[in-house]
Amino acid sequence: MTNDVYARQIIQAGKDLGITPRGIVIAFATVYVEANWLNYANSKVPESLTIPHDAVGSDGKSVGLFQQQVVWGNGAWWWGSAADCMDPYKSARLFFQRLATKPYQAATTDVAAGAIAQSIQGSAFPDRYAQRMAEAQRYYDRLAGGTVPDVDPNRPPYNEFPIWSENHYDGRSGVTIDAIFLHTSEGFVGRDDAAEALSLWYQPKSRQVAYHYAVSQASDGGVTVVDNVDTDDASWSVLSANNRSINLCFAGTQAAWSRNDWITKFGNAIDVAAYLAVQDCKKYGIPTNVIAPPYTGRIPGISDHRYVTKVLGDGTHTDLGDGFPWDVFTAAVKKYATGETATPQPEPKPVVVGPADDQLNMRFHCLGDRTLVEAVAVLLDKELGTNNAGKPGVVMQ
C-alpha cells in the first residue's frame, strides 16, 4: 500500500471524527516520526506477523503506522488489538480519539504541536515531532489542499473502514472502467457484521474472489461499508469483466430474496450503494445509467452480476435475483447524481372493476377486446367444433 493510501485513510478518519486540519497534520508528523509511513508488524507480537505489513520491528510491542502498543491490562487494551493498531483507518481513529481531548487547535507553532503529539505518544525522543511538522504540513497540503474537504451534505450515514484483500490485479491493464456490478454474498445472512465477516473471509489469496466494496445493513438499520480492493485495481469478481468493472457486494443477502426482503432488510444499504456507485461514476467518467433486467440497455453504466452472465456471456451467476427493487435503486442513483428526487413506482395493484353486470359488458384487451361471454363462446366453438360465437340473443326458459 502506498503512502498516499495510508495518508488518505488518516484524513478520512480525522474527517469522520470532526478533527480539524491542524490535528490531521499533527497525526502526519507523528507517523513520520514513529514509522516513516511503514506499517510495522512486531516480532514480539505473533499475531501481527499474520496481518499485511511493510516491515517488522521489535520496539516493545508497538505496531502499525503510529507504533501503538498491543498491551492488555486492567481489563482493556492500552491502545487496541494488533488488527486495529495495524489498520491505517482504525489506528488513526485511536490516535484522534486521544488528540480530541487535547488543546491541539491552540498549538499554532511547530513546538506546541510537537508537544501535543508527545503527550499522546510518550516518546523517548520528544523533540522529533516538531521537527517533522513542516514536512507533514506540505504533505497534507498536497493531498487535501490545505483543508479537510467538507463532508458531502448528501452523503447518507454509514460507517466505512478497510479490510484489504489480496484477490485483485494491480491496475487495469490499460482497460477503461465502464461498469459497476452489484452482487449478493449468499452467505453471512442475518449477521450485523456481515460486511466485515465477508471481507475477512476473502482476505487471503486462497479464496480467489473479492469485491471492491462489501456493504451490509445491521438489524438497527445502520450501514457498514468495508473497502476491500482499491478501485484503481481490478478485483477478482466477474471473470473476463474484472478489468472493466467496479464491484460491490451486498454482504448478508441472497438472490432468492423477495422485493419485501430487500426493502425491509437492506433498504438503507441500497441507498448507500447508490451513493457509492454515483461517486465512482463521477470519478471514472461512467454514465449513471442503471441497466436492470431484462437488460434492454447496455453498459457503460450500473448493473448486476446476472448482466455478465446473460449479456456478456461469461459465467452462470444470477444475482441480484428477481426480487431486487431496481426502481428504488434507480431513484436513489438519480437523487445522488442530479439532486432530483424520483418516486419509485409502487407495486402494481389489481384493477378494481364494478359489479358483475359491468364485468360481463366490459371488453378486455387480454381477451382480444371481447367480453367474457364472447371469449367463452370462442373457446367452446374451438373445443366442440361449433360455430356459435357470433350468434345474437339468448335462450329463454
Side-chain angles (χ1 to χ4, degrees), residues 214-239:
V215 180
S216 64
Q217 181 172 323
S219 54
D220 64 0
V223 176
T224 295
V225 176
V226 182
D227 302 316
N228 303 141
V229 175
D230 191 305
T231 52
D232 286 344
D233 297 329
S235 64
W236 296 349
S237 311
V238 281
L239 301 173

Side-chain angles (χ1 to χ4, degrees), residues 85-392:
C85 293
M86 292 178 67
D87 183 300
Y89 176 86
K90 291 183 179 179
S91 63
R93 284 183 68 98
L94 292 172
F95 179 84
F96 287 134
Q97 285 164 357
R98 298 193 183 190
L99 180 70
T101 68
K102 311 286 184 179
Y104 72 90
Q105 274 291 84
T108 55
T109 67
D110 289 350
V111 171
I116 292 289
Q118 169 64 13
S119 71
I120 296 171
Q121 298 295 112
S123 172
F125 305 96
D127 297 333
R128 292 183 178 178
Y129 302 108
Q131 295 168 6
R132 305 304 291 268
M133 281 296 294
E135 187 177 5
Q137 184 69 61
R138 288 193 298 272
Y139 190 19
Y140 176 80
D141 289 345
R142 178 172 72 80
L143 292 180
T147 59
V148 178
D150 292 334
V151 176
D152 182 354
N154 296 318
R155 179 187 185 274
Y158 61 88
N159 180 40
E160 184 174 15
F161 57 88
I163 297 177
W164 301 111
S165 174
E166 298 180 0
N167 298 306
H168 64 87
Y169 300 116
D170 292 333
R172 298 279 184 168
S173 301
V175 177
T176 299
I177 303 171
D178 64 356
I180 296 175
F181 294 126
L182 308 178
H183 306 257
T184 59
S185 67
E186 299 304 308
F188 306 101
V189 177
R191 291 181 55 160
D192 284 353
D193 67 341
E196 184 171 1
L198 175 64
S199 301
L200 290 171
W201 181 81
Y202 60 49
Q203 188 175 39
K205 186 165 285 187
S206 59
R207 299 299 186 186
Q208 295 289 291
V209 65
Y211 305 96
H212 291 95
Y213 307 101
V215 180
S216 64
Q217 181 172 323
S219 54
D220 64 0
V223 176
T224 295
V225 176
V226 182
D227 302 316
N228 303 141
V229 175
D230 191 305
T231 52
D232 286 344
D233 297 329
S235 64
W236 296 349
S237 311
V238 281
L239 301 173
S240 61
N242 285 332
N243 277 327
R244 72 188 299 179
S245 63
I246 293 170
N247 293 276
L248 181 151
C249 182
F250 290 109
T253 64
Q254 295 177 305
W257 272 12
S258 67
R259 176 185 174 88
N260 185 64
D261 287 331
W262 279 104
I263 291 174
T264 58
K265 298 176 182 178
F266 259 63
N268 294 340
I270 290 172
D271 190 67
V272 169
Y275 175 81
L276 295 172
V278 169
Q279 304 317 302
D280 281 333
C281 284
K282 291 178 179 178
K283 179 178 180 180
Y284 294 102
I286 305 169
T288 53
N289 301 325
V290 177
I291 303 134
Y295 309 120
T296 54
R298 292 292 182 268
I299 54 176
I302 309 164
S303 193
D304 65 352
H305 200 160
R306 182 161 54 178
Y307 180 97
V308 177
T309 301
K310 296 293 186 182
V311 179
L312 301 184
D314 200 354
T316 59
H317 283 255
T318 60
D319 52 319
L320 294 170
D322 294 333
F324 185 75
W326 283 102
D327 58 323
V328 174
F329 177 78
T330 301
V333 167
K334 183 177 182 180
K335 174 180 66 175
Y336 292 122
T338 67
E340 298 178 16
T341 301
T343 303
Q345 294 297 317
E347 290 192 76
K349 295 181 179 180
V351 177
V352 178
V353 296
D357 287 348
D358 292 340
Q359 294 181 45
L360 290 173
N361 292 322
M362 286 180 175
R363 295 187 176 275
F364 294 87
H365 294 309
C366 61
L367 298 178
D369 294 331
R370 299 183 180 93
T371 66
L372 288 173
V373 172
E374 289 170 348
V376 170
V378 170
L379 290 174
L380 284 173
D381 280 349
K382 185 176 181 180
E383 180 69 23
L384 302 176
T386 56
N387 188 29
N388 296 320
K391 293 180 180 180

Side-chain angles (χ1 to χ4, degrees), residues 48-71:
S48 73
L49 301 173
T50 67
I51 299 169
H53 54 273
D54 303 318
V56 179
S58 58
D59 179 19
K61 292 191 174 182
S62 299
V63 300
L65 297 171
F66 291 89
Q67 286 292 278
Q68 293 160 335
Q69 295 277 341
V70 182
V71 177

